[in-house]
Amino acid sequence: MASLFEPLVTALTALFGREPTLNEMILIPMIPVFISAFLLEWLYTYRKTGDAALSKGKPFWLSEVLANFSLGAGYYVSGALMNLLFVAALFTVVWEHRLFTIPMNLGTIVLAFFVQELCYYWYHRTAHRVRWFWSQHVAHHTGENMNMSTAARQSILNGIVGTWMFYLPAVLIGFSPELILGLLGANLAFQWFVHTEAVHKFHPWVEWWINTPSNHRVHHGRNLQYIDKNYGGVIMLYDHLFGTYEPEQEKVEYGTPRQIKSHNWFVMNLHEFVDMFRDAMAPGPLGERLKHFWKPPSWEREGHIPVHTWTVERHPEPVEK
């Protein structure tokens, strides 16, 4: 088995100047699979509807698809750079100071899966409820169509805002970084296939347990009842436990309540990060200004008009105190 992956490890080591993580070993070789699945999805939709148009207003609007893949490319490059600079070293340091050493066997791998899912759930929920982390995650939600290329909408800011911190507790208690990050890679790979309208709904039991396309369409909705729902990666268990599960009922309207109207790569990556700092720098009591970093994205400071550096289209959203 090791010899089977040796050419891949050698190639990635030459590319990165270091040995690849298990996360990278999963996600990078999956790129051809992701693209193939997207093309099959487009072909299926064409055969079903007879409409192959790539124009604005169509499910596979070419401008948005290209924007999606450009964001995905940036995510891969920035992730490799952040690992090289400090993230991989940080996980190594925490591993060296772990509280326990949990052996790797079938039982502990299953346990690690649920632990990683819990870490992912709280990262994902925080990324919607704390503006500092939303400034990274918002790029994923600004797509106004739903197809598999939407899954590629990722940010270059992951390492900078600290998404990695949500997985350090699992390493600290004794799960190896390779195992936790490898399971995260599998989690993210799985999610590529739930960004689609080609699949309607499964049996209710499946919908209750698994992050299906229907469940994930809800997560991408800006309909008021869908905002901040269905955070699960592979399973929906923690959404049920923590009260954030919502089934798909009315048609989903994709995008964000404060929808950026741009396909510029820099704007898509940085618009919320820039606006957050500009809001915090605007005149007012320091304590109130700092709340722009940790309050929900829709929170508005009294007496301050939210800054939008680039064109934003407003939609109804919950009122945050």
Side-chain angles (χ1 to χ4, degrees):
M1 182 65 72
S3 61
L4 180 64
F5 294 101
E6 188 173 341
L8 178 61
V9 173
T10 301
L12 293 179
T13 300
L15 178 65
F16 296 145
R18 57 170 173 78
E19 285 195 2
T21 65
L22 184 55
N23 182 290
E24 292 163 338
M25 286 283 292
I26 292 171
L27 289 176
I28 293 176
M30 284 292 291
I31 292 174
V33 178
F34 294 154
I35 295 173
S36 298
F38 165 72
L39 293 174
L40 286 173
E41 178 194 28
W42 175 81
L43 181 61
Y44 170 80
T45 303
Y46 166 58
R47 290 178 64 86
K48 183 178 179 181
T49 65
D51 187 354
L54 303 176
S55 54
K56 186 175 182 179
K58 299 296 183 178
F60 292 83
W61 182 21
L62 184 59
S63 294
E64 184 159 298
V65 168
L66 294 176
N68 295 345
F69 282 115
S70 73
L71 286 168
Y75 165 76
Y76 272 94
V77 172
S78 65
L81 181 60
M82 292 298 106
N83 276 331
L84 184 63
L85 290 176
F86 71 95
V87 174
L90 185 59
F91 274 92
T92 299
V93 169
V94 174
W95 174 244
E96 290 173 350
H97 293 84
R98 62 193 180 275
L99 301 176
F100 309 98
T101 300
I102 299 174
M104 191 179 301
N105 54 52
L106 180 59
T108 58
I109 290 174
V110 172
L111 178 60
F113 167 79
F114 285 97
V115 170
Q116 177 274 143
E117 282 286 317
L118 181 62
C119 294
Y120 178 82
Y121 173 89
W122 281 109
Y123 148 68
H124 203 180
R125 184 166 177 171
T126 304
H128 279 256
R129 300 298 298 156
V130 175
R131 193 178 181 189
W132 173 259
F133 292 99
W134 176 245
S135 70
Q136 162 267 327
H137 190 54
V138 65
H140 183 63
H141 279 270
T142 50
E144 295 186 275
N145 291 314
M146 176 61 78
N147 55 65
M148 288 186 189
S149 74
T150 307
R153 293 185 75 96
Q154 301 294 334
S155 173
I156 61 172
L157 297 176
N158 289 26
I160 295 171
V161 305
T163 61
W164 38 265
M165 69 178 63
F166 292 89
Y167 305 96
L168 291 178
V171 176
L172 183 61
I173 64 175
F175 291 102
S176 76
E178 284 293 279
L179 177 58
I180 292 298
L181 296 180
L183 288 168
L184 176 61
N187 175 343
L188 298 177
F190 169 84
Q191 288 193 60
W192 179 274
F193 304 99
V194 300
H195 290 81
T196 184
E197 291 186 315
V199 177
H200 183 51
K201 282 192 176 186
F202 292 100
H203 187 278
W205 188 90
V206 176
E207 295 289 340
W208 197 95
W209 276 102
I210 305 298
N211 183 19
T212 63
S214 174
N215 283 329
H216 204 64
R217 287 192 292 269
V218 165
H219 178 69
H220 275 261
R222 63 183 169 215
N223 316 52
L224 285 175
Q225 72 269 36
Y226 293 159
I227 292 174
D228 296 340
K229 300 295 183 181
N230 296 4
Y231 296 115
V234 176
I235 57 175
M236 306 306 294
L237 173 64
Y238 299 115
D239 284 289
H240 290 291
L241 288 177
F242 298 119
T244 53
Y245 179 76
E246 182 72 28
E248 183 181 26
Q249 294 175 327
E250 71 175 46
K251 181 175 175 58
V252 180
E253 181 184 352
Y254 301 111
T256 66
R258 303 183 185 191
Q259 180 66 39
I260 191 71
K261 306 304 286 187
S262 175
H263 289 134
N264 179 288
W265 185 85
F266 291 99
V267 174
M268 290 186 295
N269 270 296
L270 300 174
H271 73 276
E272 185 70 16
F273 196 73
V274 170
D275 289 350
M276 176 179 64
F277 273 93
R278 291 189 65 192
D279 280 330
M281 292 170 64
L286 179 60
E288 290 296 300
R289 289 161 56 189
L290 291 176
K291 289 181 182 179
H292 287 290
F293 294 105
W294 57 266
K295 281 284 192 177
S298 59
W299 177 77
E300 295 186 7
R301 174 158 48 106
E302 186 176 353
H304 169 68
I305 299 174
V307 174
H308 296 301
T309 308
W310 295 277
T311 302
V312 166
E313 183 180 87
R314 296 291 295 263
H315 296 265
E317 60 186 334
V319 177
E320 301 286 355
K321 299 293 185 180

